[in-house]
Amino acid sequence: MKITKEEVLYVANLARLNVDDGDVEKLAAEIGDILSYVDTLEKVDTDGVEPTTHAIDLTNAFREDVVHTHPGASATLANAPDKEDEMFVVPKVVG
């Protein structure tokens, strides 16, 4: 598939990319090669093939949600090295 310089510049503008004028021709050829390869994939017979979201069968490994009671601020702060007004005190990291 042939890609024009204008199409390359349009896509580069959409992607907020600065493209040198000398690279436009090269990018157009490379994008054209990629799209040509995708065209060959469209010719593959996929009749009877189930759509998949992953190449291998995966199962959900998450646990069930269980509601727990919160231990409270005093228990949460019991081992804190420094606390103030029932909050953790941490060193300032932004100047």
Side-chain angles (χ1 to χ4, degrees):
M1 179 175 214
K2 180 87 169 118
I3 301 295
T4 65
K5 290 187 219 180
E6 290 78 23
E7 290 170 325
V8 170
L9 293 172
Y10 177 73
V11 172
N13 182 47
L14 289 176
R16 307 284 195 265
L17 297 174
N18 293 325
V19 179
D20 294 331
D21 291 336
D23 293 337
V24 173
E25 292 263 349
K26 181 181 174 187
L27 285 172
E30 289 175 354
I31 293 170
D33 290 344
I34 292 168
L35 293 176
S36 295
Y37 181 72
V38 171
D39 283 342
T40 61
L41 293 176
E42 287 183 356
K43 297 175 185 172
V44 175
D45 181 22
T46 57
D47 290 337
V49 177
E50 290 285 324
T52 60
T53 57
H54 202 278
I56 59 174
D57 188 30
L58 295 176
T59 57
N60 191 349
F62 296 124
R63 62 169 169 72
E64 291 294 320
D65 287 336
V66 179
V67 177
H68 296 284
T69 58
H70 189 275
S74 59
T76 303
L77 293 167
N79 291 325
D82 198 7
K83 55 188 171 245
E84 182 180 307
D85 296 328
E86 300 211 353
M87 292 182 275
F88 292 100
V89 175
V90 295
K92 185 177 180 179
V93 293
V94 179

